[in-house]
Amino acid sequence: MDTLRPQNLGSKGDRHAIPYFKAAYRLELLRSQILGPERFDHAFRHYIEVWAYRHPTPSDFLRLMNSDAGEDLSWFWRGWYFKTWFPDYAIEDVKYTSDAKLKITILNKGWLPLPLTVLEKWTDGTTTSVRIPTEVWSSGNRHTLEIPSPRSIAAIIIDPDHEIPDVNRSNNEFFATGRPTQ
């Protein structure tokens, strides 16, 4: 399965260009969602400086980006370039515990680990959000958030700003009519 699904392709006139932008999109995702502009831009400029007028291989790029970014990005390279993993996150379960904690279980159905934002809308009209870092997916494809709150939840939305290319957004939302059961 691939992130270039019909629902993500746009109109027929745009489709010819989508495959050509795939690599650029992945780098933009690395820049905007994972490393941040400062670390990415520094590493990318260094790569250009080191490899200008030479013949780098893809592994040269991966090694330099890992080194200059200061973190092991093998999970990103593996998922985007060497495997056919894709981002597909879902709200699997929502419930309250006896000690007034909201438990939200998120499932990573597509195996591609990415950082996520989870927005909680409360019945009193307030909102909160939690950022789930990429590292949580190293322990498996299921993660449970525990949010202490005596308030009742109205809605939960994964990736409310559509920052990641989730292939199935239909399972990214939970709407409650009352307090979920324990």
Side-chain angles (χ1 to χ4, degrees):
M1 186 173 262
D2 199 348
T3 55
L4 296 179
R5 312 245 336 150
Q7 64 267 29
N8 298 329
L9 287 179
S11 67
K12 284 187 178 184
D14 298 333
R15 290 185 186 175
H16 73 281
I18 298 290
Y20 297 104
F21 294 116
K22 196 172 176 182
Y25 178 75
R26 291 171 180 171
L27 290 176
E28 173 55 27
L29 192 61
L30 183 64
R31 181 181 191 265
S32 65
Q33 297 299 312
I34 296 158
L35 293 178
E38 188 175 310
R39 286 197 305 156
F40 179 89
D41 292 352
H42 170 76
F44 200 75
R45 283 187 185 108
H46 187 221
Y47 169 75
I48 292 168
E49 179 183 309
V50 168
W51 287 100
Y53 310 108
R54 297 175 64 198
H55 304 284
T57 64
S59 61
D60 294 321
F61 175 75
L62 305 182
R63 275 194 304 273
L64 191 134
M65 290 300 285
N66 279 349
S67 175
D68 280 21
E71 75 179 84
D72 179 12
L73 297 168
S74 60
W75 60 269
F76 183 80
W77 311 127
R78 185 181 322 97
W80 276 113
Y81 294 97
F82 302 115
K83 302 279 187 186
T84 56
W85 295 346
F86 52 93
D88 184 11
Y89 295 90
I91 297 173
E92 184 179 51
D93 190 36
V94 177
K95 62 184 173 188
Y96 276 90
T97 62
S98 58
D99 56 346
K101 289 183 182 173
L102 176 64
K103 290 180 78 169
I104 307 167
T105 302
I106 309 289
L107 183 63
N108 179 353
K109 298 170 71 174
W111 288 86
L112 184 66
L114 290 173
L116 289 179
T117 299
V118 178
L119 177 71
E120 303 88 27
K121 293 183 177 183
W122 304 97
T123 55
D124 65 5
T126 60
T127 61
T128 55
S129 67
V130 176
R131 183 79 168 165
I132 301 175
T134 304
E135 294 79 18
V136 303
W137 306 115
S138 64
S139 62
N141 279 13
R142 184 173 278 106
H143 179 68
T144 301
L145 295 170
E146 288 193 11
I147 303 168
S149 180
R151 300 177 288 180
S152 292
I153 194 73
I156 300 167
I157 304 169
I158 296 174
D159 189 33
D161 298 324
H162 295 206
E163 294 173 331
I164 63 168
D166 194 310
V167 298
N168 180 8
R169 293 193 180 277
S170 68
N171 54 16
N172 290 9
E173 298 178 340
F174 167 85
F175 295 98
T177 55
R179 192 174 175 109
T181 58
Q182 292 183 352

